[in-house]
Amino acid sequence: MGLTHIRTPKNFVLEDRLERYAAAIEQRPETYRGRWGEACAPCGGAACGDASHGDMPGFGRVHLDLGCGKGAYLVARAQREPDALFIGMDTEPICIAYAAQNIVEAGISNAIVLPRGADSIERLYDPGELAGITLNFPTPFPKRKFARKRLTSVDHLLSYRRVLAPGAAVTLRTDSQPLHDYTLTQLDAAGYRVLWASNDTRAEHPEHPETEYERRLAEQGAAVYGVCAIPGPEPTPEQIQTGRDAEQSLVAYLPRNLDSIGYIPLGMEGAVLNLRNRQRNEQAHNH
């Protein structure tokens, strides 16, 4: 989740927040690769540690919320499923500070945040270590030149499948119909099998907690698109290349009738305005 989603109060001091809620932030996550469930077994605090937990069992499932933003979804899922460990990852320090604060103030011991991004996935988790990955309203990066940053690009999806347990799913929720449709092409290229795809995830999959950002979207009339998929057979090199060669500009995934768009996804306002003007000029010229 990008900084465009985060509102900070005037008295917000990042360094103070990070220090105050450091118990919920793991600064050396690479040291826990392959043993997250055991190392983070409940011991009265939010952070992982090397101390012995005696007879305390570890968490049976480890779930990753990639691009966790302010941590509302992370905390809600952790509260609903106390037998699982929920890890939030984000590259924005402001997001990490807010998410850590939410964890600490909620008083939960089965959630933690890591200041890392998607490129570090395979350095942080063993093959098969994750029971699921959620991508909640990730920054869509509409322009072609930034496509590799998208959390649902074929190469990121390939790295996810290497750390997912058998049958574990990647679930995307987004207000961007173009990102949703683009993701479907990339999932196919990465060898995933789609379990469900939805144009109204709120109504059809209410099991996913609503975030503060999502509530603001609803007030603006945005739909929530979603897709859930699990790794299938290993994709062929040709299949993977098809995903890389697919159209990478999200503008190409907009509906042809741009006047039918009521809500314009984040970062696409200028593109939609320009395309609408071009279409109207062409229509006027043809008449």
Side-chain angles (χ1 to χ4, degrees):
M1 181 179 289
L3 282 177
T4 49
H5 299 169
I6 302 297
R7 297 175 181 177
T8 56
K10 292 182 179 179
N11 62 348
F12 183 93
V13 179
L14 178 61
E15 292 75 13
D16 289 349
R17 295 289 182 104
L18 292 172
E19 182 177 355
R20 189 184 314 168
Y21 302 109
I25 305 170
E26 180 49 62
Q27 298 287 0
R28 298 181 301 115
E30 290 81 3
T31 63
Y32 298 105
R33 184 176 188 264
R35 59 191 187 94
W36 283 102
E38 175 187 355
C40 294
C43 57
C48 300
D50 292 314
S52 172
H53 301 297
D55 295 329
M56 180 69 71
F59 292 107
R61 293 177 293 117
V62 180
H63 189 101
L64 173 62
D65 186 10
L66 183 56
C68 65
K70 296 169 76 171
Y73 181 92
L74 181 76
V75 169
R77 283 289 303 272
Q79 289 173 326
R80 290 184 185 183
E81 303 172 49
D83 59 332
L85 174 66
F86 286 85
I87 300 175
M89 286 173 55
D90 211 293
T91 57
E92 298 294 350
I94 292 175
C95 294
I96 291 295
Y98 269 117
Q101 178 179 349
N102 282 332
I103 291 170
V104 171
E105 291 181 348
I108 55 178
S109 59
N110 63 323
I112 193 166
V113 287
L114 319 179
R116 297 290 188 276
D119 291 339
S120 63
I121 287 282
E122 293 182 76
R123 296 195 301 273
L124 299 179
Y125 308 103
D126 262 0
E129 189 167 11
L130 296 181
I133 298 175
T134 50
L135 311 171
N136 288 306
F137 305 96
T139 303
F141 297 107
K143 294 183 178 179
R144 182 181 292 109
K145 64 180 178 180
F146 297 129
R148 291 187 177 181
K149 294 185 177 183
R150 287 181 205 137
L151 295 185
T152 58
S153 69
V154 63
D155 290 291
H156 277 139
L157 290 169
L158 289 172
S159 70
Y160 305 158
R161 64 177 291 146
R162 296 180 190 121
V163 298
L164 286 169
V170 173
T171 304
L172 166 73
R173 294 191 308 143
T174 178
D175 59 311
S176 174
Q177 168 264 316
L179 179 62
H180 172 266
D181 292 357
Y182 164 84
T183 298
L184 291 174
T185 71
Q186 301 297 288
L187 286 167
D188 182 66
Y192 282 72
R193 179 167 64 89
V194 173
L195 299 181
W196 55 261
S198 172
N199 292 338
D200 189 358
T201 303
R202 259 193 230 98
E204 297 175 3
H205 295 279
E207 69 273 15
H208 290 280
E210 188 178 57
T211 67
E212 176 187 344
Y213 177 64
E214 187 176 352
R215 286 192 292 273
R216 293 206 306 269
L217 289 179
E219 293 170 358
Q220 299 171 29
V224 177
Y225 301 87
V227 58
C228 179
I230 60 174
E234 284 287 338
T236 65
E238 293 77 16
Q239 192 175 352
I240 295 170
Q241 192 60 44
T242 297
R244 293 171 179 160
D245 292 341
E247 176 55 63
Q248 299 296 312
S249 170
L250 293 189
V251 172
Y253 298 87
L254 287 165
R256 296 186 65 179
N257 181 9
L258 295 175
D259 288 331
S260 68
I261 302 175
Y263 169 83
I264 301 175
L266 177 70
M268 302 195 74
E269 298 87 351
V272 170
L273 177 62
N274 290 337
L275 287 170
R276 278 176 172 169
N277 289 336
R278 186 184 307 169
Q279 285 186 354
R280 287 165 183 165
N281 289 338
E282 290 175 353
Q283 289 170 358
H285 178 75
N286 292 334
H287 286 98

